[in-house]
Amino acid sequence: MPQQELRELYIDELKDLYNAENQLVKALPKMAKAANSDELRNGFEEHLEQTKGHVQRLEQIFEMLGESPKGKKCKGMEGLIEEGSEMIEEDFEGSVRDAGLIGAAQRVEHYEIAVYGTVKAFAETLGETEHVSLIEQTLQEEKETDEKLTELAEQINSQATSEAEQGEGEDARSSKKLTTAGKSKKRVA
Ligand SMILES: [Fe+2]
């Protein structure tokens, strides 16, 4: 592939990613608001701050390239966020809702990990070493977030199971108590 064409593709992918991260900045506060457990809510809020940093790193890359970051809409992220919103609208409560939110958030993380992996490889091929280090930092944060979500899911899924075993007579408030009672010091980044 000629270098110039790869460069164009690289910029296209970065624009897509820039739009994806900005969509996520808008979606994460809604995910945080919908979370039942304090720990999950804090996790989403922390990841919101990290995501703003991801936007800034991409802006730095665009500045170095002398290109505008605007001009693309990431349909992949749009679909993932839409599925997350549908999850929020469902009737699930307590830990079951949290388990659904974690599932939606992990889909987002895996998508971002895939795209950052791609642009990192392009940046390496193009000899853009400064870009590679910025991309690598974000990629690490996305991976750490995914791992923390997995840890949180293990905890929340077992709570969801015990809530389900208690039958349908339980109201939302008592579900909430059950969820927050089991929280540990682990945090989602
Ligand atoms: Fe991100």
Side-chain angles (χ1 to χ4, degrees), residues 14-164:
L14 287 172
K15 285 187 181 197
D16 200 72
L17 202 43
Y18 183 73
N19 178 264
E21 293 281 24
N22 276 294
Q23 287 188 50
L24 199 54
V25 166
K26 285 190 196 143
L28 279 166
K30 293 174 199 163
M31 303 273 285
K33 207 174 156 206
N36 182 68
S37 108
D38 292 341
E39 213 180 344
L40 183 59
R41 187 171 47 253
N42 290 339
F44 284 141
E45 282 165 0
E46 282 171 31
H47 194 56
L48 170 63
E49 292 315 307
Q50 268 190 337
T51 302
K52 288 177 186 169
H54 299 172
V55 169
Q56 283 171 359
R57 285 194 191 117
L58 288 170
E59 282 168 352
Q60 272 178 266
I61 291 174
F62 278 104
E63 222 164 277
M64 287 188 249
L65 286 164
E67 296 275 344
S68 161
K70 292 182 182 157
K72 280 207 86 175
K73 176 129 197 166
C74 179
K75 290 176 188 154
M77 183 61 84
E78 195 175 33
L80 292 172
I81 288 174
E82 204 178 308
E83 287 195 358
S85 305
E86 283 171 12
M87 176 56 61
I88 293 170
E89 285 158 22
E90 297 265 4
D91 289 335
F92 298 119
E93 288 176 350
S95 299
V96 181
R97 165 184 276 229
D98 282 354
L101 289 173
I102 291 174
Q106 283 197 293
R107 282 183 182 84
V108 167
E109 288 313 309
H110 286 212
Y111 183 83
E112 288 191 299
I113 289 165
V115 187
Y116 276 108
T118 301
V119 293
K120 188 185 154 200
F122 288 171
E124 279 165 353
T125 307
L126 293 165
E128 298 282 10
T129 48
E130 282 179 87
H131 300 196
V132 173
S133 94
L134 287 166
I135 292 166
E136 182 57 31
Q137 288 171 51
T138 299
L139 185 57
Q140 276 314 314
E141 286 176 5
E142 306 290 17
K143 286 180 182 170
E144 282 164 22
T145 299
D146 181 48
E147 281 163 21
K148 284 170 189 171
L149 283 166
T150 298
E151 285 174 24
L152 206 48
E154 281 167 14
Q155 189 182 321
I156 283 174
N157 287 351
S158 68
Q159 284 163 3
T161 310
S162 60
E163 279 173 31

